[in-house]
Amino acid sequence: MSTGLLDAAQRLVDLLTQENDALKRMDFPAAVALVAAKEEALADLTKHPAMRPIPPSLATLGQRLGTLAAENQTLLERAIAVQTRIVRIVARAGAPPPAATRYGGHSNRIPSNRAAALALSTSA
C-alpha cells in the first residue's frame, strides 16, 4: 500500500482538526490562515488513485475525515452567521437616524444633533 495516500489523508485530518479548533475559539484569522494549506492537502489527496480493497487504516482515516468535514461545515456556518450579525450591527450603526416629525407639524423635521453617517464603503 502506498503511504502517499495515507500521508495525504492524515495531513488533511490534521489541518481540519486545527481549523475546527480555531473556529470553536472563534479565532477567525487563524482559521483563514489554514485555507490555502487545506486546499493544497485536499488537492494532494485527490491526485492519488483509489485503493481496492480499502485497507482498514485508510478506512478509519476516511471515517475521521468525514466526521471532521461535517463538524467543519457546522462551524463554518456558525462563523458566517456571526460575521453576518457583525456586519448588520456595523451597518445599522452607520445608518442615519430616521427623520423625526412633530405631531401635526406637517412634515417639518426636527433638526438632529447627530451627525449624518457617511458611506462605509463604495463597493460590497
Side-chain angles (χ1 to χ4, degrees):
M1 170 176 65
S2 169
T3 60
L5 182 59
L6 279 173
D7 291 345
Q10 185 60 55
R11 182 170 170 235
L12 188 56
V13 163
D14 294 342
L15 287 165
L16 279 174
T17 300
Q18 290 174 35
E19 182 179 30
N20 288 353
D21 289 344
L23 290 169
K24 286 176 190 173
R25 293 187 317 268
M26 293 195 146
D27 185 355
F28 301 136
V32 169
L34 295 168
V35 169
K38 185 173 75 168
E39 289 173 347
E40 184 181 315
L42 184 59
D44 187 35
L45 181 65
T46 59
K47 77 178 181 183
H48 291 281
M51 299 177 89
R52 298 285 183 234
I54 298 172
S57 58
L58 187 57
T60 301
L61 208 50
Q63 289 173 342
R64 179 79 177 125
L65 264 173
T67 301
L68 285 168
E71 180 183 29
N72 188 259
Q73 179 179 356
T74 301
L75 291 168
L76 285 170
E77 288 169 353
R78 182 181 77 174
I80 290 168
V82 168
Q83 292 297 314
T84 300
R85 281 186 290 212
I86 291 169
V87 167
R88 287 183 181 150
I89 289 168
V90 170
R92 270 184 289 190
T101 57
R102 289 185 252 174
Y103 182 76
H106 304 292
S107 297
N108 292 333
R109 292 186 178 179
I110 300 171
S112 173
N113 61 357
R114 182 175 168 196
L118 300 176
L120 296 174
S121 175
T122 57
S123 64

